[in-house]
Amino acid sequence: RTAGVDDGDDFVTQTGMPAPLFLLLLGAGPRARQAPANGGIPAWRALQGEAAQAEAEGWRALQGDTRDEAESAQRAHGSPPCLRNLRKVGSGHNAAWHLATFEPSQSGGVLSRIDVLLALDANPTEPCLLLNFVHADGADGSKRTRVGHILLACGPSSSALRGMFVREELRGQGLSRVLLAVWLRLCASAQLSPTTQQINKPLLARSLEHFGFVPANRAFPVELKPPPPRPGEVAVAQRTAFTRTRYQPPRDAAQLDAAIDVALAGGRVSLAPSCDSAGTGGLPATSNDLACALTLRPLCSTVRIC
């Protein structure tokens, strides 16, 4: 198969199913019905501990309808233990937690301030989460426009890329590498090992190789057809990507960090204010808070109840 060089082809799923169907399963459209052996309980719940498990069920109960503003405020603050130190945005099926913000060195085109919002995934067999990337529009940042998302599997000390999506009208502008760089910088801040599950899309594979990731095997090469050169540009040679394989990060952390810096082009990734900092000058969340969130495990030594 020959694939065009376009971010539109960088949406990979572990199953290789078409993007529209996969988006339905992720909750971007009508929810798909599943009947797993465990009754459909999200896998992340089991990681919260026995005491926290009962509390997590209380968190679920808080997402129901409310009759007054006081109950609504309480409902908005309910969070599982692994996310308690992050500021919550929305409630119910729209609940997310503000994890970080990317500020580009120069705004223009598709690059402007991007907020990173963590959403829980209901995968019943493996703890997973979504990193939603949204433009914060308007003077107060209240209007949000979705840019794309990354689907991650959560290990005890690792964050594994499962899938990626960029809005169709924003593809072909190098945005996928920026979003990958933000994820990789967050992994570094949390001291987590970034890795992947099986990568099936050749353009996503090439983007990972840009950061120094190497395929576990090279049994399924795919030739990538380069785009036609623009006036004054030199034609790019045909490239090869390796699919149907996992990717591992470079052994040299400095090499990976340098590649992240190149992709961010001088932009800065900063952790979002923590849940208790609204009235104290906006103190950022800690790297420990970030590790709790990206692993979905309540590892935090200090819990600040929002």
Side-chain angles (χ1 to χ4, degrees), residues 119-288:
L120 295 168
D121 184 76
N123 189 320
T125 59
E126 182 177 35
C128 296
L129 61 83
L130 280 168
L131 291 186
N132 288 315
F133 298 90
V134 297
H135 282 312
D137 303 320
D140 59 356
S142 59
K143 183 180 178 183
R144 299 180 182 275
T145 303
R146 187 179 181 187
V147 174
H149 66 246
I150 290 178
L151 176 62
L152 302 171
C154 308
S157 60
S158 65
S159 180
L161 178 67
R162 290 191 58 181
M164 184 175 186
F165 173 78
V166 176
R167 275 175 52 194
E168 185 173 358
E169 63 269 28
L170 300 178
R171 297 170 186 172
Q173 304 179 63
L175 190 55
S176 60
R177 286 188 183 178
V178 175
L179 303 188
L180 284 173
V182 171
W183 164 59
L184 292 170
R185 182 54 51 84
L186 292 176
C187 287
S189 297
Q191 298 184 338
L192 299 177
S193 174
T195 184
T196 80
Q197 295 193 350
Q198 181 170 297
I199 299 299
N200 298 326
K201 292 295 183 179
L203 288 177
L204 182 53
R206 283 294 302 177
S207 292
L208 288 167
E209 290 179 8
H210 172 82
F211 291 99
F213 280 69
V214 294
N217 70 71
R218 299 172 182 264
F220 299 98
V222 175
E223 297 300 319
L224 295 174
K225 181 180 178 180
R230 298 175 182 175
E233 290 183 344
V234 178
V236 179
Q238 186 165 289
R239 298 170 298 175
T240 301
F242 298 95
T243 60
R244 297 170 66 179
T245 181
R246 295 172 181 254
Y247 277 76
Q248 295 297 329
R251 295 181 179 180
D252 185 352
Q255 174 190 350
L256 177 57
D257 198 54
I260 295 171
D261 287 339
V262 170
L264 295 178
R268 186 168 64 94
V269 178
S270 56
L271 298 186
S274 61
C275 66
D276 69 340
S277 61
T280 59
L283 297 175
T286 68
S287 58
N288 201 37

